[in-house]
């Protein structure tokens, strides 16, 4: 995954690379659904929904939505499940297969190689460390998009609240713009703005 030139997309129960020239190659996975950890097309996914590349390590992370797991792909093509238990739903924090997700989706890489995941059906944002330790960020958020800036601030498209929210370095959640959502009485920065179900893979 080192020096990826192009985009990475989950499709057909596999993870594919698309270059600017339109050349498509499969990095991992096989069309039939499954959950096997293996190398390249011997590995299996079940509706992968989100991908994120850690530029420091070159590791690729995949939110394997219908398996309720977080997968990692190494440069060698080795796929490993690092958090969650296959087909087990829940919102429990924990390490590796003791943690639970409910349809994890959009993801992005945060500081120190940690991955942030929109846990869609739980209305939560979860943090996953490289060692597979899962914790939940403060407050319920119907997450439709995630991004991290150079200061480590987390930006969230709040699909249910019709707002753009952010979490600062101290872990405080606030609303940057939009005004239609419930419980959004905290310091609006651009309160005259309105949004209708903001959503995008990356803000």
């Amino acid at each position: 995954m080192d020096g990826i030139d192009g985009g990475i997309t989950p499709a057909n129960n596999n993870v594919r690379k698309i270059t600017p020239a339109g050349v498509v190659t499969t990095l991992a996975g096989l069309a039939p659904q499954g959950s096997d950890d293996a190398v390249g097309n011997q590995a299996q996914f079940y509706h992968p929904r989100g991908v994120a590349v850690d530029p420091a390590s070159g590791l690729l992370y995949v939110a394997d939505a219908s398996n309720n797991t977080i997968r990692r792909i190494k440069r060698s093509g080795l796929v490993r499940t690092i958090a969650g238990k296959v087909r087990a739903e829940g919102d429990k924090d924990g390490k590796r297969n003791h943690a639970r997700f409910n349809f994890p989706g959009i993801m992005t890489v945060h500081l120190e190689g940690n991955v942030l995941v929109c846990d869609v059906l739980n209305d939560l944002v979860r943090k996953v460390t490289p060692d597979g330790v899962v914790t939940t960020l403060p407050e319920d958020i119907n997450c439709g998009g995630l991004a991290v800036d150079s200061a480590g601030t987390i930006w969230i498209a709040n699909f249910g609240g019709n707002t753009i929210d952010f979490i600062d370095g101290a872990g405080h959640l606030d609303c940057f713009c939009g005004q239609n959502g419930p419980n959004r009485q905290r310091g609006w920065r651009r309160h005259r703005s309105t949004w209708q179900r903001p959503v995008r893979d990356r803000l």
Side-chain angles (χ1 to χ4, degrees):
M1 273 24 107
D2 190 20
I4 287 177
D5 182 16
I8 305 295
T9 181
N12 299 324
N13 292 320
N14 53 40
V15 179
R16 315 186 80 180
K17 172 183 173 182
I18 306 173
T19 71
V23 178
V24 179
T25 54
T26 299
L27 298 177
L30 197 62
Q33 67 195 40
S35 60
D36 289 350
D37 287 344
V39 177
N41 63 9
Q42 299 302 308
Q44 293 179 305
F45 299 87
Y46 188 12
H47 295 157
R49 297 280 293 183
V51 293
V53 178
D54 180 1
S57 65
L59 296 172
L60 175 64
Y61 292 89
V62 180
D64 199 358
S66 290
N67 277 328
N68 290 320
T69 56
I70 305 302
R71 319 286 293 277
R72 181 170 63 203
I73 307 176
K74 292 187 174 181
R75 293 186 181 94
S76 63
L78 175 64
V79 179
R80 179 185 177 192
T81 302
I82 66 166
K85 185 176 181 179
V86 174
R87 311 285 176 85
E89 299 175 357
D91 60 3
K92 180 182 177 183
D93 289 346
K95 188 171 184 178
R96 296 179 182 168
N97 63 358
H98 295 288
R100 296 289 183 271
F101 298 89
N102 196 356
F103 209 74
I106 294 165
M107 40 188 350
T108 191
V109 176
H110 194 226
L111 304 175
E112 299 175 349
N114 297 319
V115 176
L116 301 175
V117 185
C118 291
D119 197 358
V120 177
L121 296 184
N122 281 328
D123 288 336
L124 298 172
V125 178
R126 318 290 295 281
K127 180 175 77 171
V128 185
T129 71
D131 292 330
V133 177
V134 179
T135 54
T136 301
L137 272 62
E139 305 200 34
D140 295 353
I141 299 175
N142 190 198
C143 178
L146 280 173
V148 176
D149 65 22
S150 59
T153 301
I154 302 165
W155 296 89
I156 304 167
N158 191 326
F159 182 80
N162 296 324
T163 56
I164 303 300
D165 297 342
F166 67 95
I167 300 175
D168 63 22
H172 300 134
L173 174 69
D174 207 340
C175 175
F176 180 75
C177 59
Q179 56 182 343
N180 292 337
N183 303 318
R184 291 289 174 252
Q185 302 299 322
R186 303 182 302 275
W188 291 334
R189 302 296 183 88
R190 302 287 187 272
H191 64 280
R192 294 181 184 275
S193 303
T194 58
W195 298 78
Q196 182 67 31
R197 295 183 177 180
V199 58
R200 190 179 177 191
D201 283 356
R202 292 180 182 84
L203 290 173

